[in-house]
Amino acid sequence: MAITTPAEAGTTVIAQTTTPKRSLAARLFRERYGFLLLLPGLLYFIWFRYVPMLGNIIAFEDYSPFQGFMHSDWVGLKHFKRIFEDAEVIRVIWNTLYLSFLQIVFAFPIPIVLALMLNEVKNQRVKRLVQSVVYLPHFLSWVVVAGIVTIFLKTEGIVNKLLDLSFSMDPISFLQEPSWFMPLIVLEVIWKEAGWGTIIFLAALSGVNPTLYEAAIVDGANRWRQIWHITLPAIRGTIVILLILRLGSVLDSGFTQIFLMLNPFTMQVGNVLDTFVYFKGIQQSDFSFGTAVGLFKGVVGLVLILAANKVAKKFGEEGVF
Amino acid sequence: MPIKRTLSDRIADGINLFLLLLLAFVMIFPFYYIIAVSFSSYEEYVNTELLLFPKTWVLDAYRFIFDSKEFIRSIGVTVYITIVGSVVSLLLTSTMAFALTRRLWGQRFYLFLVLFTFIFGAGMIPTYLIVKATGLIDSYWSLIIPDAIGSFNLIVMRQFFLSIPEELNEAAVIDGANDLQIFTRIILPLSKPALAAFGLFYAVSQWNTYFTAILYLNDPAKWTVQVILRQIVILDDATNTLASAARDAAQSAHLPPPETIGMAAIILATVPILIVYPFLQKHFAKGVMLGSVKG
């Protein structure tokens, strides 16, 4: 920061000589090229991100595409009441929470463990090889991942063949079996994203001062003690931040992945808020109800993330904001 | 660090390495298996207990796909939206990211607008209605414009631009350059690695476009490769009776079976990503780390 001080002094000198009076109009004129560059992006954000936020107002209306959201009938909280009266929505919320619980317990810790394991590898070439391989699935589409899972797990697929060959088991129809749905979703997430998730932890670990380890060894700490007392504390802040963000999205299940895995057999246990909004709002054109469910989801997520952030700060962590 | 490693250290290292290599194998095996089966004949696939290496390598499945207009057309569509989409995204992201590094009037407000979208999104239906109102339904622009700027990419790119020494800009200002000239003559040429990285990120996400395509494109002739892929691979299984009927028909017509066609389709839809992956890999770790230390 100290370097910029003389430079800043330089600009003020120039500014004083060219524009003695700093009126707003003069300032905007001077910055016109900057605004020219800002404008397309700003318009994008306003039109495709913020106007739709205002568009959530249709959750309080009986929206009809012909009347538009300015002229549709205002019905207040009617659609929000429907959320809690509809047994289907209650089940969908339950499915969503259950999936989130599974994700936090099983999928969230895996990148941390994987990063710790990778961090212990001393051979740089082996480390890089393993990293390249575990990062790769992140770049595949969910269609490809779901396709691979479908091919592997269908009744005549390789997994059932292996089960038959080694344990002479009857084929299991994993894809139609409701009890397998959520575990499969979590396993897919782990396969696709676990390696990618290590990047941020490895970045935090690369900043650890090696002399800490030397000091610990001198003090007689073994490998486990080093991990426990040096490595883990080094990534604690990162873990907390990611956990906050995760808690903020407990109602987000990832539309595409679930949509691709759903079929009539698993609809009961697998329909989550994201897919429900699509089926109701888009496919059945119940725009207002779909929007109400989506808004409910977004607001709960916002509240959760702010709450989690507060709690993290209370415990002396940095938090996100 | 010339510290002696004890026996237990070596054992722990060995186990660790073994587990990691096992994991790498689990990650890579599906690719291998799908490639192997896509090149095998149907008879061999059905009759072999566990096909891990085809005895005869045949191209039937690939030939069938290249003959089907549907798949090839979807590849064409996807190539088009990938190229146009990445260019548009890169242009919008870099100009705005640069503008957010300038001390423009109201700069903190614009930055807030971007950061707020990190924690609150508008929701599927209002966004759909806006895209519809804009008249983009059934247009390829609906796959490009509504997701043109990734907020996270924007912030990371801004961070990258901020890391370029301010003295360069000031020297240019003294030489009489305006923001537009600073952007095109100084910032962009110095940011080629970042632009390449984000361009690839955008390209991968366009290539993988699925959800927006089913949401905004009603006309099957416009579907992207991922949508077609789902038709071939996943829907085939969900409706079991239909699939087996199709298989019988395929057998009597001496067409390759749905299984190998599905696998060949997966391979073809993945090849472009496997090709750019080495280039991507060079850059992404740096990009993600830059983002994680946002100030």
Side-chain angles (χ1 to χ4, degrees):
Chain A
M1 282 302 112
I3 313 160
T4 57
T5 329
E8 264 173 354
T11 47
T12 41
V13 171
I14 294 165
Q16 273 166 6
T17 49
T18 50
T19 51
K21 265 190 190 170
R22 280 177 172 239
S23 72
L24 180 62
R27 181 174 177 190
L28 291 179
F29 182 74
R30 193 157 38 85
E31 293 169 352
R32 64 193 179 281
Y33 292 107
F35 278 103
L36 191 68
L37 290 167
L38 178 72
L39 199 63
L42 196 60
L43 288 177
Y44 163 80
F45 269 90
I46 291 169
W47 186 250
F48 287 107
R49 303 291 188 99
Y50 281 91
V51 171
M53 279 187 209
L54 296 177
N56 274 310
I57 199 152
I58 67 171
F60 303 93
E61 299 172 341
D62 270 337
Y63 175 77
S64 137
F66 306 105
Q67 288 166 308
F69 75 93
M70 294 295 281
H71 302 287
S72 293
D73 295 328
W74 186 262
V75 293
L77 294 176
K78 176 179 144 190
H79 296 293
F80 291 91
K81 284 185 191 134
R82 275 174 72 192
I83 293 178
F84 301 100
E85 287 160 1
D86 190 330
E88 198 189 348
V89 190
I90 302 294
R91 202 186 55 237
V92 165
I93 292 176
W94 172 248
N95 290 345
T96 312
L97 291 174
Y98 176 60
L99 176 60
S100 238
F101 169 77
L102 290 181
Q103 302 269 34
I104 290 173
V105 172
F106 294 102
F108 183 79
I110 287 194
I112 302 170
V113 176
L114 194 53
L116 292 176
M117 286 169 74
L118 280 167
N119 195 50
E120 295 296 314
V121 177
K122 299 292 178 291
N123 184 333
Q124 287 302 311
R125 285 177 66 184
V126 174
K127 185 178 171 186
R128 222 167 288 149
L129 175 83
V130 174
Q131 278 179 298
S132 312
V133 173
V134 298
Y135 291 160
L136 179 61
H138 170 78
F139 294 100
L140 303 183
S141 71
W142 275 118
V143 183
V144 167
V145 175
I148 291 174
V149 168
T150 306
I151 287 171
F152 271 62
L153 293 185
K154 53 181 164 182
T155 37
E156 65 276 17
I158 181 173
V159 171
N160 274 314
K161 274 185 183 167
L162 274 174
L163 289 176
D164 183 32
L165 278 177
S166 37
F167 308 106
S168 27
M169 280 169 70
D170 288 332
I172 304 168
S173 45
F174 295 99
L175 301 165
Q176 280 90 38
E177 178 56 52
S179 60
W180 271 102
F181 187 83
M182 290 302 185
L184 276 180
I185 294 290
V186 177
L187 284 172
E188 283 179 9
V189 168
I190 291 174
W191 187 78
K192 190 171 186 284
E193 307 295 351
W196 186 249
T198 61
I199 290 179
I200 198 159
F201 296 111
L202 287 171
L205 289 175
S206 68
V208 181
N209 189 341
T211 55
L212 288 175
Y213 289 104
E214 286 166 25
I217 292 166
V218 172
D219 288 347
N222 63 24
R223 284 283 274 281
W224 302 110
R225 290 248 151 217
Q226 291 170 38
I227 292 174
W228 184 253
H229 291 293
I230 300 169
T231 314
L232 271 177
I235 54 175
R236 200 174 73 153
T238 312
I239 295 175
V240 171
I241 287 178
L242 292 183
L243 196 57
I244 293 172
L245 292 173
R246 187 66 197 76
L247 290 175
S249 56
V250 284
L251 297 184
D252 278 317
S253 315
F255 170 84
T256 309
Q257 185 199 3
I258 303 214
F259 179 76
L260 289 165
M261 295 297 292
L262 274 176
N263 58 48
F265 304 98
T266 50
M267 195 52 102
Q268 283 273 333
V269 296
N271 201 6
V272 290
L273 281 168
D274 288 324
T275 46
F276 180 81
V277 168
Y278 175 78
F279 292 133
K280 267 282 184 252
I282 308 277
Q283 285 195 340
Q284 297 173 24
S285 298
D286 196 343
F287 292 113
S288 286
F289 186 44
T291 306
V293 175
L295 187 60
F296 164 77
K297 200 197 92 168
V299 171
V300 172
L302 189 63
V303 170
L304 282 174
I305 204 169
L306 294 175
N309 196 49
K310 267 246 161 70
V311 172
K313 277 189 175 163
K314 273 235 166 77
F315 282 96
E317 292 292 341
E318 258 186 66
V320 184
F321 319 107
Chain B
M1 234 185 0
I3 287 164
K4 264 202 184 156
R5 296 161 69 208
T6 61
L7 181 67
S8 72
D9 265 354
R10 280 164 192 276
I11 293 173
D13 277 337
I15 293 173
N16 185 33
L17 200 62
F18 172 75
L19 287 175
L20 283 172
L21 290 175
L22 186 72
L23 187 78
F25 174 77
V26 170
M27 294 290 185
I28 213 78
F29 178 75
F31 292 100
Y32 167 74
Y33 177 73
I34 284 179
I35 291 173
V37 176
S38 74
F39 283 108
S40 63
S41 68
Y42 182 53
E43 288 74 25
E44 202 179 346
Y45 175 73
V46 171
N47 297 331
T48 318
E49 280 277 30
L50 194 65
L51 185 86
L52 288 179
F53 192 82
K55 285 192 202 78
T56 49
W57 293 68
V58 294
L59 291 170
D60 290 359
Y62 291 93
R63 210 170 289 139
F64 178 82
I65 285 179
F66 280 109
D67 284 344
S68 76
K69 286 200 196 87
E70 226 188 3
F71 193 85
I72 296 303
R73 188 172 50 198
S74 76
I75 294 264
V77 167
T78 311
V79 168
Y80 172 78
I81 62 155
T82 299
I83 293 171
V84 178
S86 314
V87 170
V88 168
S89 288
L90 217 46
L91 204 66
L92 286 172
T93 309
S94 60
T95 49
M96 191 176 186
F98 172 72
L100 290 177
T101 66
R102 307 279 83 192
R103 296 184 192 101
L104 298 177
W105 181 77
Q107 196 231 25
R108 292 174 65 91
F109 173 69
Y110 314 131
L111 206 53
F112 171 80
L113 278 186
V114 174
L115 290 176
F116 185 68
T117 61
F118 274 44
I119 51 169
F120 194 77
M124 182 191 297
I125 292 167
T127 309
Y128 171 83
L129 292 173
I130 286 298
V131 172
K132 200 172 168 186
T134 317
L136 294 180
I137 296 290
D138 266 335
S139 149
Y140 291 135
W141 291 108
S142 68
L143 309 184
I144 293 168
I145 301 289
D147 292 318
I149 301 181
S151 306
F152 185 75
N153 295 345
L154 178 68
I155 294 301
V156 177
M157 204 186 276
R158 172 176 179 268
Q159 214 63 36
F160 185 90
F161 291 159
L162 283 173
S163 72
I164 294 172
E166 181 64 20
E167 286 80 358
L168 284 174
N169 298 340
E170 270 143 21
V173 169
I174 290 170
D175 289 345
N178 61 44
D179 280 347
L180 204 59
Q181 289 163 326
I182 292 176
F183 178 63
T184 53
R185 303 222 184 130
I186 295 177
I187 299 294
L188 283 187
L190 287 175
S191 306
K192 274 180 199 147
L195 294 174
F198 286 106
L200 285 172
F201 273 124
Y202 280 124
V204 169
S205 90
Q206 283 293 356
W207 184 265
N208 287 341
T209 294
Y210 168 76
F211 168 50
T212 44
I214 58 162
L215 200 54
Y216 301 135
L217 302 181
N218 303 320
D219 181 358
K222 291 182 173 157
W223 278 346
T224 62
V225 68
Q226 305 292 341
V227 183
I228 300 291
L229 192 60
R230 175 190 179 229
Q231 309 277 324
I232 298 176
V233 183
I234 300 169
L235 291 186
D236 173 56
D237 188 77
T239 50
N240 261 320
T241 48
L242 258 177
S244 62
R247 201 166 300 133
D248 293 345
Q251 252 178 315
S252 59
H254 296 290
L255 291 173
E259 279 89 353
T260 54
I261 293 175
M263 296 194 206
I266 286 183
I267 297 300
L268 289 178
T270 314
V271 158
I273 287 185
L274 297 182
I275 291 173
V276 300
Y277 181 65
F279 300 99
L280 259 180
Q281 220 212 340
K282 262 204 313 212
H283 298 298
F284 63 59
K286 217 184 262 170
V288 172
M289 280 180 219
L290 251 178
S292 65
V293 287
K294 68 166 196 261

